[in-house]
Amino acid sequence: MSRAFLRSPLAFPSSDLFTHKSRVLRRSFLSTTSIALCSHVHAQTSAMSDASGFFGPSQMTGIALSPEGLRVAIRVRAASGREILAVISLDTMAQTVVFGSANADVGNLVWLSDSRLAFTLADIETPHGKQDAGPGLFAVNADGSDYRQVVERQPVWLKNGNDTQKLEP
């Protein structure tokens, strides 16, 4: 048989009927699925009492993956409204809060190595013109240990030289 004959509708007379039936079945399946999904979404949205969750402050405001890809550092909003720094271990999904302060928010964050983070501080509650402290620079291990202040937030005229004390804003 020639190729032109195989391509003609005469070679397979039921092929048009088969493709028509499969199209109808696909369309009916898609419409049934979309109706079920719409009703499920409608049931979920009708259960919500208001839209305040969409217009409130974000719960997670920053994220950084460790160089090995085993941990994620996240900047999240605590119940107090301040942004804190937490680390999630991706193999166990264990969460550890490594820094939080009542007087400042975590600003920028970056991984220094697979187990150590550096971050700055900010104050999102105070307008920029009224802030009296710089961002500083801080370092902490992924498990929350060995917290160090690397750069001062405010000018210090006299220091005792003891860098092991915990300096918070």
Side-chain angles (χ1 to χ4, degrees):
M1 285 199 259
S2 69
R3 285 185 164 170
F5 179 74
L6 288 176
R7 288 187 201 150
S8 72
L10 298 176
F12 302 102
S14 64
S15 65
D16 286 339
L17 183 61
F18 177 73
T19 56
H20 178 70
K21 282 184 181 179
S22 65
R23 283 183 191 157
V24 169
L25 286 174
R26 276 187 294 188
R27 285 181 186 159
S28 63
F29 174 74
L30 288 175
S31 64
T32 306
T33 307
S34 63
I35 289 171
L37 284 175
C38 289
S39 63
H40 179 68
V41 169
H42 178 68
Q44 285 182 341
T45 55
S46 64
M48 285 191 230
S49 60
D50 57 34
S52 64
F54 292 104
F55 299 106
S58 300
Q59 294 299 311
M60 184 171 55
T61 58
I63 187 166
L65 184 65
S66 69
E68 279 188 357
L70 299 176
R71 295 182 184 108
V72 174
I74 57 173
R75 185 177 57 224
V76 294
R77 189 170 309 275
S80 65
R82 291 294 191 174
E83 293 182 356
I84 62 173
L85 180 61
V87 174
I88 299 175
S89 176
L90 295 178
D91 55 350
T92 62
M93 297 306 286
Q95 303 171 11
T96 306
V97 175
V98 297
F99 180 82
S101 174
N103 302 324
D105 303 294
V106 173
N108 297 324
L109 59 110
V110 65
W111 284 93
L112 299 174
S113 67
D114 295 325
S115 61
R116 192 139 178 91
L117 288 152
F119 61 95
T120 61
L121 293 180
D123 190 356
I124 60 172
E125 294 178 356
T126 306
H128 288 288
K130 298 197 181 242
Q131 291 183 6
D132 62 349
L137 184 62
F138 302 86
V140 68
N141 287 344
D143 61 357
S145 65
D146 199 20
Y147 170 84
R148 301 281 176 147
Q149 182 172 8
V150 181
V151 175
E152 297 283 342
R153 291 193 74 203
Q154 296 177 339
V156 176
W157 302 107
L158 182 65
K159 188 171 180 178
N160 65 3
N162 182 6
D163 65 349
T164 60
Q165 77 185 58
K166 187 173 181 179
L167 301 173
E168 286 191 8

